[in-house]
Amino acid sequence: PVKPVNPTPGSTMDSLHSIFIENDRYLWLGGENGLARVDRSTNNFNVWRFNKENAKGISGNTVYSIARDKKNNLWFANFGGLDKFISDSNHFRQYLKGYSVRAVLADAKGILWAGTDIGLYQYDEAKDQFVQFNSPLFSMGIETILNILEDDQHTLWVTTANGILKISANRERIQ
């Protein structure tokens, strides 16, 4: 059985939304009650929960989605924003703070995408920030994003609160 490293009341992980295999050793779980990293060699796990006093913690307890970028950074989409795990120091860098981010995806070109309650964002690595993805078809932005998937033709499929969008491989056309 898997057991917490430092058990505390409420340290269990229930109502899971996501699971991610980082490598041969670590497995990540995201759910309604925070984020956990399981050490598969020992069956111990560390749990992170939102704490408004901790600017280097996760920005929300409900973790919806997990992705790895082209530099092997791990990103966690959650109710309070999008967090990048800084493994050297075991803390997080917060992005899109205050947004509900339900989806995160690194596409085949290495672009990181985040789906929020107010639209689709892509990561500008040079500026270390996310910029809203816009299209003339959606002058007011794309509504609540629920999930993002890339197929083998590099088309992005985006589920929203109102339907499915298909974004072409060159990211110039939305249907």
Side-chain angles (χ1 to χ4, degrees):
V2 176
K3 54 193 177 295
V5 173
N6 295 309
T8 58
S11 65
T12 60
M13 291 299 297
D14 53 5
S15 299
L16 295 176
H17 292 287
S18 56
I19 186 168
F20 185 87
I21 298 172
E22 179 182 359
N23 52 36
D24 289 340
R25 184 171 178 190
Y26 294 119
L27 175 79
W28 291 84
L29 306 170
E32 289 292 321
N33 203 17
L35 177 67
R37 182 176 65 183
V38 178
D39 184 329
R40 297 188 294 170
S41 66
T42 64
N43 283 336
N44 290 327
F45 66 92
N46 290 330
V47 176
W48 289 270
R49 290 205 172 75
F50 172 69
N51 176 347
K52 66 181 179 180
E53 306 298 321
N54 184 1
K56 293 184 178 183
I58 61 172
S59 51
N61 266 344
T62 304
V63 179
Y64 297 110
S65 181
I66 304 169
R68 182 192 334 254
D69 69 17
K70 64 185 177 186
K71 293 185 174 179
N72 284 323
N73 294 306
L74 295 179
W75 295 80
F76 303 92
N78 63 68
F79 184 74
L82 182 66
D83 302 319
K84 178 169 75 170
F85 184 62
I86 311 298
S87 59
D88 296 346
S89 57
N90 240 15
H91 73 268
F92 298 85
R93 165 95 159 77
Q94 299 176 351
Y95 296 82
L96 298 171
K97 193 161 173 64
Y99 293 81
S100 179
V101 183
R102 292 187 178 260
V104 60
L105 170 86
D107 72 14
K109 294 178 184 173
I111 297 170
L112 192 68
W113 297 88
T116 75
D117 52 348
I118 61 164
L120 185 62
Y121 287 78
Q122 64 187 74
Y123 183 59
D124 182 331
E125 190 174 359
K127 294 181 180 177
D128 191 31
Q129 68 183 19
F130 282 82
V131 294
Q132 192 162 24
F133 178 77
N134 291 313
S135 163
L137 291 176
F138 297 91
S139 59
M140 300 299 290
I142 300 171
E143 67 270 8
T144 303
I145 307 294
L146 301 174
N147 203 355
I148 309 166
L149 177 73
E150 184 179 36
D151 66 21
D152 58 356
Q153 302 298 311
H154 306 297
T155 299
L156 287 185
W157 295 88
V158 180
T159 58
T160 73
N162 296 313
I164 299 174
L165 300 175
K166 179 181 175 184
I167 302 175
S168 64
N170 63 8
R171 309 298 184 239
E172 293 178 1
R173 204 172 64 240
I174 298 178
Q175 299 175 322

